[in-house]
């Protein structure tokens, strides 16, 4: 640790790691000190030279002679002095909160931008870029951001904020950290100098947020463009900055990566492992390494309207741009239609099926017809060991998936007394255990990654409507629905959503490929589904909508919606319908017989 002179202040600077390694410079926000980075610095110092400093008026750094010394010009001068002390041609700059604001300003300044290899920003936008957002966005988006920024007006008022920081605000800050961010105060954060730091820092708001004083601009038309690589880390639970404002920042950075962490405002405290990993991956890539899979998909390219791809919504046809999607049972039916639908909306898709050739055909169609990116993988979802290998292969080759669709299934139809133990085992192994394996393995990856995700489990009308024809199938699908609702409650805190999709009768090969026991209903079942005329592409559309809207239980088509409504309003009516379905078992011969091949994944 050492002092760095900058004008009339002395800055307290801390260094860790080997100075010969690439340098990462961490800039803290308001009302923090360099100690807010303790956990992240500890995770980075084995690979990087990590530098932190207390900004003027905070921590151990001294205060300027008067309050006019808190302008962006002075803050940029401090950063320049720190860069001089580091003595390297270029560093990787990381800013949080007010540290992010001043970094956005600094990288637009000649004399600094040449010494910055990259910028990682979270917890605060550049003021120049935010100004354009507030002047050019829709009224609703502007109103949403103004509601989040209510405190700025308070901080710019005289006397009131100073009084608050001297009385109740320190305790309120600690409570907010515990309740909202889920982090505990620890030595160094909040700092012992919190009250003094907070009062000094108020002048950054008062001097830099006046309409007539904005950070310097670059670009032919005075646009606030920055020409260094920029990684934006969006803390999904940060109450101060709207997702729309953050997404708009890509408009001003030609080389822009947008990533998300499920954390509150102090993400470097709530998920230091995730933040450190993202910083390290980005710095390594800018220095020449191949991008990690998640970083590769986080790259955003401005669209024809000048907006970043991260900002464009479903109307652009690229609602899932940059997402990795895993679909099981993707060789045919609903699985194939779902894989194609996600690919058409910009996702990279892993198409898995027990029939590898069928998965390869699905991938070939995605590449040829849609120009998409897809990969074929063979997997038997009923095999726990094989599923573990599959999940590991997906993570290592393509990264942790953002969306997993557990769709693979099989069907045995007939009376309960005609079902053998093997029939039940096959149905439960594929239709329920297959979903359990997919949820367990990929949810664990999503939780560890810390960026959220979505799991879709394809259940059925049979999940809530009993049938004398499908006892094993309906039992397994009811388990899928309940599993989905249990997981949705458990994983919500991790930013992982779970949806159960419950289709009625869909025109797929499910009836043709089913196994029939007791009465042979193959011909009538195949004919009925063909006449139903409900294509799997419509189910796929419901799956994409469920992910986009974060829906919990989605009954699909008329009979699915009617069955779901009846199950909730009149369970007795659904039981009555089940008794009527028993009549179908009398249409064929009463002699027990088995038809169809061995059960396999069929949708």
């Amino acid at each position: 640790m050492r002092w760095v002179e900058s004008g009339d202040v002395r800055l307290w600077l801390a260094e860790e790691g080997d100075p010969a390694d690439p340098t990462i410079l961490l800039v803290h926000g308001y009302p923090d000190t360099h100690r807010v980075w303790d956990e992240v610095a500890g995770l980075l110092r084995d690979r990087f030279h990590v530098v932190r400093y207390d900004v003027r008026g905070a921590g151990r750094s001294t205060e300027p002679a008067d309050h006019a010394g808190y302008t962006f010009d002075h803050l940029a001068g401090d950063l320049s002095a720190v860069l001089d002390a580091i003595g390297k041609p270029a560093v990787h700059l990381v800013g949080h909160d007010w540290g992010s604001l001043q970094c956005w300003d600094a990288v637009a300044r000649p004399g600094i931008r040449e010494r910055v290899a990259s910028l990682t920003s979270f917890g605060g936008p550049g003021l120049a870029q935010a100004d354009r957002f507030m002047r050019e966005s829709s009224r609703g988006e502007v109103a949403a951001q103004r509601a989040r920024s209510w405190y700025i007006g308070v901080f710019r008022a005289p006397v009131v904020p100073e009084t608050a920081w001297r009385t109740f605000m320190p305790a309120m800050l600690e409570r907010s950290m515990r309740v909202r961010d889920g982090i505990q105060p620890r030595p160094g954060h909040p700092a012992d100098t919190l009250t003094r730091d907070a009062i000094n820092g108020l002048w950054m708001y008062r001097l830099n947020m006046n309409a007539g004083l904005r950070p310097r601009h670059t670009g032919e038309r005075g646009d606030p463009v920055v020409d260094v690589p920029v990684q934006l880390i969006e803390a999904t639970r940060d109450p101060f900055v709207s997702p729309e404002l953050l997404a708009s920042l890509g408009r001003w950075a030609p080389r822009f990566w947008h990533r998300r962490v499920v954390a509150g405002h102090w993400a470097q405290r709530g998920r230091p492992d995730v933040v450190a990993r993202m910083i390290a991956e980005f710095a390594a890539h800018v220095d020449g390494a191949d991008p990690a899979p998640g970083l590769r998909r986080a790259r955003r390219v401005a669209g024809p309207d000048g907006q970043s791809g991260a900002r464009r919504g479903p109307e652009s046809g690229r609602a899932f741009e940059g997402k990795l999607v895993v679909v099981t049972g993707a060789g045919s039916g609903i699985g194939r239609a779902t894989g194609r639908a996600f690919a058409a909306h910009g996702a990279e898709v892993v198409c898995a099926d027990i029939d590898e050739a069928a998965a390869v055909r699905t991938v070939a169609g995605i590449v040829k017809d849609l120009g998409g990116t897809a990969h074929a993988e063979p997997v038997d979802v009923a095999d726990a060991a094989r599923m573990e290998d599959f999940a590991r292969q997906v993570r290592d080759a393509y990264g942790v998936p953002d969306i997993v669709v557990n769709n693979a299934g099989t069907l045995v139809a007939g009376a309960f007394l005609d079902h053998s133990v093997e029939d039940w085992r096959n149905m439960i192994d594929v239709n329920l255990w297959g979903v359990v394996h997919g949820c367990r393995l990929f949810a664990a990856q999503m939780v560890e990654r810390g960026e959220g995700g979505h799991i879709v489990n394809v259940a059925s009308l049979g999940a809530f409507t009993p049938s004398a024809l499908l006892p094993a199938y309906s039992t397994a699908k009811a388990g899928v629905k309940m599993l989905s609702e249990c997981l949705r409650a458990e994983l919500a805190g991790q930013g992982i959503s779970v949806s159960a999709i419950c289709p009625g009768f869909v025109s797929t090969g499910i009836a043709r490929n089913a196994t029939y026991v007791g009465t042979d209903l193959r011909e009538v079942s195949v004919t009925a589904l063909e006449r139903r005329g409900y294509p799997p592409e419509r189910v796929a559309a419901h799956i994409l909508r469920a992910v986009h809207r974060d829906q919990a239980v989605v009954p699909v088509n008329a009979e699915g919606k009617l069955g779901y409504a009846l199950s909730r309003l009149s369970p007795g009516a659904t039981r009555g319908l089940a008794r009527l379905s028993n009549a179908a078992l009398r249409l064929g011969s009463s002699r027990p017989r088995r038809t169809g091949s061995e059960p396999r994944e069929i949708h």
Side-chain angles (χ1 to χ4, degrees):
M1 296 185 180
R2 54 181 167 136
W3 296 102
V4 173
E5 304 290 334
S6 178
D8 63 344
V9 301
R10 301 176 72 204
L11 306 173
W12 182 251
L13 184 137
E15 297 180 81
E16 299 174 71
D18 188 344
D21 288 336
T23 297
I24 291 177
L25 176 56
L26 305 171
V27 186
H28 69 80
Y30 174 88
D32 298 323
T33 70
H34 78 280
R35 294 291 306 278
V36 73
W37 294 108
D38 283 358
E39 292 86 353
V40 169
L43 293 168
L44 292 173
R45 63 190 175 199
D46 290 340
R47 295 178 53 192
F48 297 93
H49 174 224
V50 183
V51 181
R52 301 175 277 163
Y53 70 100
D54 289 336
V55 303
R56 55 177 52 210
R60 297 191 63 179
S61 293
T62 63
E63 305 169 18
D66 59 63
H67 295 149
Y70 286 97
T71 67
F72 272 120
D73 287 338
H74 291 92
L75 295 173
D78 293 346
L79 181 59
S80 182
V82 170
L83 292 174
D84 290 341
I86 294 171
K88 287 190 175 181
V91 304
H92 298 283
L93 194 58
V94 181
H96 172 248
D97 188 77
W98 255 97
S100 177
L101 269 64
Q102 72 178 77
C103 287
W104 276 94
D105 169 76
V107 296
R109 293 173 179 256
I112 293 182
R113 66 178 174 220
E114 296 85 0
R115 295 192 282 174
V116 175
S118 70
L119 168 63
T120 292
S121 164
F122 67 103
L127 285 190
Q129 292 78 14
D131 175 71
R132 291 293 290 269
F133 173 84
M134 299 300 282
R135 288 193 284 123
E136 298 175 4
S137 297
S138 69
R139 292 182 178 178
E141 291 177 335
V142 171
Q145 181 53 50
R146 288 191 184 281
R148 289 173 178 258
S149 303
W150 61 269
Y151 61 93
I152 294 177
V154 176
F155 285 175
R156 293 174 63 190
V159 181
V160 173
E162 283 90 345
T163 302
W165 280 113
R166 289 190 179 102
T167 54
F168 63 88
M169 277 295 290
M172 181 178 291
L173 178 67
E174 290 194 10
R175 176 177 172 79
S176 177
M177 289 169 54
R178 289 190 179 96
V179 174
R180 179 174 287 170
D181 285 48
I183 58 178
Q184 296 296 323
R186 51 124 171 102
H189 187 244
D192 294 339
T193 54
L194 173 63
T195 297
R196 170 252 191 185
D197 300 343
I199 291 174
N200 286 338
L202 291 171
W203 290 98
M204 293 190 297
Y205 287 91
R206 290 165 176 166
L207 294 173
N208 296 298
M209 289 192 166
N210 295 322
L213 179 61
R214 299 191 183 109
R216 301 174 184 228
H217 295 63
T218 62
E220 296 179 0
R221 300 174 300 172
D223 291 339
V225 177
V226 297
D227 56 9
V228 302
V230 176
Q231 173 180 232
L232 173 71
I233 300 177
E234 177 183 344
T236 59
R237 294 173 180 164
D238 191 332
F240 304 120
V241 189
S242 71
E244 292 77 16
L245 171 55
L246 292 175
S248 74
L249 298 177
R251 178 182 179 187
W252 310 114
R255 292 172 289 174
F256 186 70
W257 288 256
H258 187 167
R259 309 181 79 175
R260 292 176 175 83
V261 55
V262 180
H265 180 68
W266 285 280
Q268 70 270 60
R269 291 276 334 271
R271 288 304 304 263
D273 54 332
V274 178
V275 172
R277 171 175 56 81
M278 290 180 174
I279 293 171
E281 288 176 352
F282 189 54
H285 175 54
V286 171
D287 285 343
D290 291 335
L295 181 63
R296 173 174 56 82
R297 282 188 294 274
R299 181 71 187 269
R300 297 294 182 262
V301 179
D305 57 357
Q307 300 293 330
S308 163
R311 181 176 169 81
R312 288 177 279 157
E315 68 279 357
S316 70
R318 310 294 288 182
F320 295 97
E321 187 81 46
K323 301 296 184 183
L324 178 65
V325 180
V326 171
V327 182
T328 64
S332 61
I334 294 173
R336 179 172 60 194
T338 300
R340 289 177 62 89
F342 274 115
H345 285 75
E348 180 179 348
V349 185
V350 177
C351 300
D353 200 284
I354 195 170
D355 183 347
E356 184 176 9
V360 169
R361 288 193 294 271
T362 298
V363 168
I366 288 173
V367 174
K368 179 181 178 181
D369 301 339
L370 305 174
T373 301
H375 318 277
E377 294 287 348
V379 68
D380 179 357
V381 300
D383 186 332
R386 182 65 191 94
M387 278 294 288
E388 289 183 0
D389 290 341
F390 169 65
R392 191 161 43 244
Q393 290 167 2
V394 168
R395 182 196 60 202
D396 294 345
Y398 315 115
V400 176
D402 301 287
I403 301 164
V404 173
V405 182
N406 292 305
N407 164 76
T410 189
L411 177 65
V412 175
F416 168 76
L417 294 179
D418 291 326
H419 278 61
S420 67
V421 171
E422 189 62 25
D423 293 330
W424 275 93
R425 181 173 292 112
N426 286 332
M427 293 293 290
I428 299 299
D429 282 352
V430 175
N431 291 352
L432 182 55
W433 269 114
V435 175
V436 171
H437 296 323
C439 290
R440 179 177 63 88
L441 296 168
F442 287 112
Q445 290 184 10
M446 291 177 180
V447 169
E448 181 182 13
R449 181 183 63 167
E451 300 175 40
H454 203 116
I455 296 173
V456 177
N457 296 325
V458 178
S460 166
L461 164 67
F464 40 75
T465 303
S467 169
L469 295 169
L470 304 170
Y473 180 82
S474 297
T475 298
K477 291 300 186 179
V480 169
K481 175 179 174 293
M482 181 54 69
L483 170 65
S484 302
E485 298 197 75
C486 292
L487 283 181
R488 185 176 177 89
E490 178 179 343
L491 298 176
Q494 303 290 340
I496 301 169
S497 296
V498 182
S499 299
I501 308 298
C502 303
F505 304 120
V506 182
S507 300
T508 68
I510 188 170
R512 189 180 309 280
N513 295 313
T515 294
Y516 295 85
V517 296
T519 301
D520 186 357
L521 299 175
R522 180 182 306 279
E523 183 176 348
V524 66
S525 299
V526 170
T527 300
L529 286 189
E530 289 176 349
R531 290 179 177 177
R532 176 64 181 88
Y534 197 92
E537 288 74 16
R538 294 184 67 179
V539 181
H542 280 279
I543 290 174
L544 267 65
R545 189 177 299 115
V547 174
H548 183 68
R549 297 179 179 177
D550 190 15
Q551 296 173 304
V553 178
V554 182
V556 176
N557 65 23
E559 58 272 19
K561 294 175 181 177
L562 178 61
Y564 187 54
L566 279 178
S567 70
R568 294 168 66 86
L569 298 175
S570 179
T574 63
R575 292 191 289 271
L577 291 174
R579 287 193 293 272
L580 290 176
S581 71
N582 188 47
L585 294 174
R586 306 190 191 99
L587 295 178
S589 169
S590 60
R591 180 172 57 89
R593 52 182 169 156
R594 174 178 299 275
T595 63
S597 59
E598 287 300 311
R600 68 185 190 92
E601 294 164 28
I602 52 178
H603 66 271

